């Protein structure tokens, strides 16, 4: 299957980013251990399709726990199972008869945190496995608050080690290793405004090609950088908070991407809250991505002049193409009582070549649509 990270974060990068990004709502302060233990359950349903093609479906139940330990420590852990099925594009938007896929991914992580007078120290580990893919990740994180507690700096380093063994045996025992570093700052600007800026740099080497696609040969090294700016403003009279974000991404494959996000968190009577959101995305194609113009002798999907085993980087993977996308979401949450909370979130996503900003999109790509439905329940004691 082709569900492995290609132009997104690796497991190590995702673990590091999730551990380090601060909520950014309310006052910045030296974090304290959780007063109560909690357990949460979430269920995710994801479905994507293209015109005339029902592509991927994912069912993913997950459970997480967080507990205070020995006063100044906390222990957190989570586990999830992703049941993936559907049709995977062989190249561009074409699908072969043998492209049906079904896979089961099992993943878990654990984090230990030590709380200090003006900051925290955390260590995290993650592991996930599929029938043809195994990923292991470790990270270390630290936060430090200023004396006036209006600024918190965050730092982190993480690494992942992935093993790839595709069932078609294009490669056997292939690997990929990635190291990521992160630095950021969260600042209280006014009693109602909090801003956060985060930089992440990753460097990896190993096997990046997709073994299930023809004419897919990618460089053996990859560097990527992201810059994330977030700003939250509290509207006290309305009982609401706005969340704005901008993310810039670039990598050594030549991809450049911009993401704008906005959410409005509206508190309501009876413990209810509504959070509508919108996200806009645009991406430039990788340097070695080729559009659907095929070799007259070899046919599809080979680019003109393609030579087997030449080592020339090439890929027709539509995730490396130039396109734009938009997503609309709505979250409904209810604090039932002191111990119980529930939430439901629905997101509709659509991707089109013509929606790319700052340039033309890649031709020949069929529109892609996706729906993401999440349900969660949390219990504290």
């Amino acid at each position: 299957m082709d569900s492995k990270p290609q132009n997104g974060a690796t497991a190590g990068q995702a673990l590091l980013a999730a551990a380090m990004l601060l909520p950014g709502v309310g006052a910045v302060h030296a974090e304290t251990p959780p007063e109560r233990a909690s357990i949460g359950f979430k269920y995710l349903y994801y479905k994507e399709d293209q015109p005339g093609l029902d592509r991927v479906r994912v069912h993913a139940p997950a459970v997480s726990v967080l507990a205070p330990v020995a006063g100044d420590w906390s222990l957190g852990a989570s586990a999830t199972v992703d049941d993936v099925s559907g049709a995977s594009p062989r190249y561009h938007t074409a699908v072969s008869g043998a492209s049906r896929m079904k896979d089961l991914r099992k993943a878990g992580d654990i984090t230990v945190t030590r709380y200090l007078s003006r900051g925290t120290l955390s260590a995290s580990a993650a592991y996930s496995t599929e029938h043809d893919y195994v990923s292991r990740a470790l990270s270390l994180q630290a936060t430090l608050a200023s004396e006036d507690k209006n600024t918190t700096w965050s730092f982190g380093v993480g690494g992942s080690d992935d093993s790839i063994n595709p069932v078609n045996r294009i490669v056997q025992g292939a690997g990929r290793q990635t190291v990521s570093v992160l630095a950021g700052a969260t600042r209280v600007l006014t009693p109602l405004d909090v801003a956060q800026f985060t930089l992440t740099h990753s460097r990896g080497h190993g096997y990046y090609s997709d073994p299930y696609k023809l004419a897919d040969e990618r460089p053996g090294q990859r560097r990527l950088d992201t810059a994330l700016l977030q700003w939250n403003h509290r509207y006290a009279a309305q009982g609401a908070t706005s969340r704005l974000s901008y993310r810039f991404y670039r990598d050594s494959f030549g991809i450049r991407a911009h993401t704008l996000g906005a959410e409005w968190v509206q508190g309501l009577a009876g413990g209810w809250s509504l959070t509508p959101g919108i996200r806009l995305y645009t991406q430039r194609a990788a340097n070695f991505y080729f559009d659907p113009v095929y070799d007259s002798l070899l046919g599809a999907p080979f680019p003109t002049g393609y030579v087997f085993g030449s080592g020339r980087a090439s890929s027709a993977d539509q995730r490396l193409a130039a396109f734009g996308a938009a997503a609309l979401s709505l979250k409904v949450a209810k604090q039932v009582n002191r111990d119980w909370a529930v939430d439901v979130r629905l997101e509709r996503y659509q991707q089109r070549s013509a929606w790319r900003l700052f340039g033309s999109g890649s031709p020949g790509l069929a529109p892609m649509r996706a729906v993401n439905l999440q349900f969660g329940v949390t219990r504290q004691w």
Side-chain angles (χ1 to χ4, degrees):
M1 61 179 292
D2 68 342
S3 63
K4 317 304 180 292
Q6 299 293 349
N7 61 329
T10 66
Q13 295 163 310
L15 176 67
L16 179 62
M20 294 301 299
L21 291 180
L22 303 175
V25 178
V28 176
H29 55 83
E31 295 182 67
T32 57
E35 296 181 0
R36 309 168 69 199
S38 65
I39 182 169
F41 172 80
K42 283 192 177 293
Y43 176 80
L44 163 71
Y45 172 74
Y46 173 86
K47 176 180 177 292
E48 68 178 46
D49 60 71
Q50 293 173 304
L53 174 64
D54 187 7
R55 275 190 52 186
V56 178
R57 294 175 184 263
V58 180
H59 299 269
V63 62
S64 62
V65 295
L66 177 65
V69 179
D72 294 328
W73 296 79
S74 72
L75 178 66
S78 68
T80 186
V81 176
D82 296 346
D83 184 1
V84 183
S85 61
S88 175
R90 183 180 58 186
Y91 54 86
H92 294 294
T93 53
V95 177
S96 69
S99 66
R100 303 303 300 179
M101 65 176 182
K102 185 173 180 59
D103 202 355
L104 189 69
R105 184 181 75 96
K106 302 175 183 178
D109 64 79
I110 186 169
T111 300
V112 178
T113 302
R114 172 72 162 93
Y115 297 85
L116 307 171
S117 60
R118 288 173 48 197
T120 63
L121 294 173
S122 299
S124 303
Y127 179 84
S128 67
T129 179
E130 304 172 42
H131 75 285
D132 59 353
Y133 193 88
V134 175
S135 181
R136 312 162 190 85
L138 296 172
S139 71
L140 296 173
Q141 312 93 36
T143 64
L144 177 64
S146 60
E147 291 188 9
D148 62 8
K149 298 184 180 181
N150 282 334
T151 303
T152 296
W153 293 276
S154 54
F155 310 92
V157 59
S160 64
D161 181 19
D162 303 337
S163 300
I164 302 103
N165 286 281
V167 295
N168 59 13
R169 298 185 179 273
I170 294 295
V171 294
Q172 297 185 53
R176 182 166 68 232
Q177 293 76 41
T178 305
V179 174
S180 304
V181 292
L182 178 151
T186 303
R187 174 73 178 177
V188 175
L189 303 176
T190 74
L192 300 175
D193 295 274
V194 177
Q196 182 182 63
F197 182 65
T198 307
L199 292 173
T200 305
H201 173 75
S202 297
R203 185 180 294 264
H205 67 276
Y207 186 75
Y208 285 93
S209 303
D210 191 324
Y212 300 112
K213 287 184 170 62
L214 298 174
D216 196 288
E217 298 184 55
R218 310 184 191 187
Q221 295 184 346
R222 192 176 194 181
R223 301 180 307 277
L224 65 87
D225 299 284
T226 62
L228 175 65
L229 179 62
Q230 297 173 293
W231 175 43
N232 292 4
H233 178 76
R234 175 70 177 170
Y235 297 86
Q238 291 78 22
T241 299
S242 63
R243 300 173 179 169
L244 303 177
S245 65
Y246 167 73
R247 177 180 181 266
F248 173 73
Y249 170 94
R250 69 176 185 183
D251 66 20
S252 58
F253 285 4
I255 295 175
R256 301 292 185 269
H258 306 267
T259 308
L260 284 173
E263 290 184 331
W264 180 272
V265 185
Q266 180 64 60
L268 301 173
W272 291 91
S273 67
L274 293 177
T275 307
I278 183 172
R279 187 175 72 255
L280 304 176
Y281 179 85
T282 184
Q283 171 179 306
R284 187 176 83 182
N287 295 332
F288 50 86
Y289 171 83
F290 62 90
D291 293 320
V293 178
Y294 307 122
D295 189 277
S296 58
L297 297 177
L298 296 175
F302 304 105
T304 301
Y306 181 80
V307 178
F308 285 97
S310 66
R312 184 183 110 188
S314 64
S315 178
D317 190 330
Q318 65 176 20
R319 292 169 297 180
L320 302 180
F323 60 84
L328 296 175
S329 63
L330 177 64
K331 178 180 178 180
V332 181
K334 165 70 170 176
Q335 187 69 43
V336 179
N337 54 39
R338 183 174 181 267
D339 299 328
W340 291 90
V342 295
D343 63 84
V344 178
R345 184 178 185 273
L346 175 66
E347 180 181 89
R348 296 297 302 265
Y349 170 93
Q350 188 161 167
Q351 172 184 308
R352 292 177 179 267
S353 172
W355 288 356
R356 188 206 166 185
L357 301 177
F358 315 117
S360 301
S362 298
L365 296 180
M368 196 274 281
R369 299 164 298 186
V371 60
N372 186 331
L373 177 63
Q374 298 180 58
F375 167 77
V377 58
T378 303
R379 169 75 161 93
Q380 290 187 317
W381 69 91

